[in-house]
Amino acid sequence: MWAIAREAGALLMHHFHHRLKIEYKGEADLVTAADRASEKLIRERIRENWPEHDVLGEEQGLSDRGSEYRWYVDPLDGTTNFAHGFPVFCVSMAVERRVPAPAQRIAGVVYDPTRDELFSAELGKGAHLNGEKIHVSKTETLKESLLGTGFPSHKRHKNPNIYFYYQLTLHSHGVRRAGSAALDLCSVAGGRFDGFWEFNLNPWDTAAGALIVEEAGGKVTRFDGSPFELNSKETLASNGLIHAELVREFADIFAGRGLEELPDPSQYER
Ligand code: IPD
Ligand code: CA
Ligand code: CA
């Protein structure tokens, strides 16, 4: 699995250093030749090694052979960054065992080819960065935390995240928005971020990263603290220590309690 992620990452870097052909998927989603080539390569390697396994990939959808194992593949997470030459993107893959129910993700890998960083986890065996064990941060309060979030490309998934961004920026050391959800989750796992949230992520964005956070000793839930599932559409990850505080913040913001007023730009001008 690690070898496949590294091979796909090398392919992405090759495309990154050459001219890119940008296409559009739907009205606003960028997709590059690299997304397609990376998924094709990953599917070929999975088929060679585990011919009976099912694969759900962002670009080609689900190939369902009725297997008890399913792979979740994001062949390029951070496509907008990639297409603009901003070097924050990765390959993300996870394997889930679906029988016996409930389904459980048993392994995940996120490879950042720009830094040669490979984050990995196996269920019950901890999380690693390039083979070294990693652990979430020890930050105990939100006000001392560095957080991450993401916004989808325009037109897709409209959501109220700008309000959450504003409130949490005021209540923490800051909120970063780097453009790759899988890497954001790995930043929580490795203690670079203390927390991360995003609306409307897809299973291929979170399958590996959420397992890596949990195996690094962190916590992943929905915004109200209830159990996270791959199709939850709400992802709240943290080091565990600030989780209750984050859940309270979310409840307050959803209820409109204690909201700091966004300054009116026209007032600011005057
Ligand atoms: C996107 C990235 C981004 C997140 C978007 C995702 P893609 O994935 O993870 O950080 O904000 O919601 O769709 O399209 O680059 O694979
Ligand atoms: Ca993605
Ligand atoms: Ca993608």
Side-chain angles (χ1 to χ4, degrees):
M1 184 182 205
W2 295 17
I4 302 175
R6 285 190 180 279
E7 194 183 353
L11 180 147
L12 292 182
M13 288 312 278
H14 177 80
H15 282 255
F16 191 62
H17 291 130
H18 292 78
R19 281 187 76 83
L20 300 166
K21 189 164 170 282
I22 298 175
E23 302 160 25
Y24 286 88
K25 178 172 71 178
E27 279 209 349
D29 270 345
L30 282 175
V31 60
T32 68
D35 296 73
R36 298 188 200 285
S38 174
E39 183 158 329
K40 183 165 173 285
L41 172 84
I42 293 167
R43 281 179 183 269
E44 278 167 14
R45 294 293 175 265
I46 295 172
R47 205 169 317 122
E48 285 159 15
N49 289 284
W50 301 278
E52 73 286 3
H53 285 190
D54 297 337
V55 180
L56 174 63
E58 180 173 13
E59 306 307 331
Q60 290 183 35
L62 176 65
S63 60
D64 190 350
R65 297 179 164 80
S67 166
E68 61 193 83
Y69 293 97
R70 178 180 292 181
W71 289 64
Y72 293 88
V73 175
D74 194 338
L76 167 50
D77 186 52
T79 293
T80 305
N81 290 342
F82 181 94
H84 287 267
F86 184 66
V88 179
F89 54 85
C90 66
V91 179
S92 174
M93 302 188 293
V95 189
E96 177 182 72
R97 190 179 48 221
R98 298 168 66 78
V99 180
Q104 268 195 317
R105 272 159 292 130
I106 54 173
V109 61
V110 172
Y111 180 54
D112 171 356
T114 74
R115 294 164 178 261
D116 189 26
E117 288 190 333
L118 188 133
F119 295 88
S120 61
E122 264 184 84
L123 187 65
K125 295 192 178 159
H128 295 83
L129 165 54
N130 291 344
E132 301 283 327
K133 197 133 192 155
I134 52 172
H135 205 273
V136 291
S137 72
K138 295 188 163 46
T139 309
E140 287 183 0
T141 61
L142 180 59
K143 69 176 193 300
E144 296 168 306
S145 293
L146 184 65
L147 307 173
T149 190
F151 293 83
S153 44
H154 72 122
K155 291 193 185 160
R156 194 162 52 99
H157 311 321
K158 278 188 184 155
N159 67 50
N161 199 28
I162 195 69
Y163 296 98
F164 293 77
Y165 179 84
Y166 185 57
Q167 290 301 115
L168 286 156
T169 295
L170 295 174
H171 296 171
S172 68
H173 276 173
V175 182
R176 300 290 174 259
R177 185 270 194 257
S180 162
L183 283 179
D184 290 334
L185 286 164
C186 291
S187 290
V188 175
R192 297 169 180 175
F193 285 162
D194 306 297
F196 163 77
W197 80 93
E198 187 162 342
F199 287 80
N200 293 323
L201 287 171
N202 287 300
W204 47 81
D205 299 311
T206 54
L211 178 66
I212 294 170
V213 169
E214 287 168 349
E215 287 296 323
K219 193 164 180 175
V220 187
T221 67
R222 292 167 56 95
F223 295 153
D224 62 1
S226 63
F228 170 80
E229 281 165 27
L230 286 183
N231 56 8
S232 286
K233 298 282 174 192
E234 291 181 4
T235 309
L236 178 61
S238 83
N239 65 2
L241 300 172
I242 63 161
H243 212 84
E245 235 185 313
L246 281 169
V247 168
R248 271 199 304 279
E249 284 276 334
F250 272 76
D252 285 347
I253 299 168
F254 276 123
R257 280 191 296 270
L259 292 185
E260 307 281 347
E261 208 180 324
L262 267 162
D264 179 338
S266 60
Q267 294 291 328
Y268 183 83
E269 182 82 67
R270 267 178 240 139

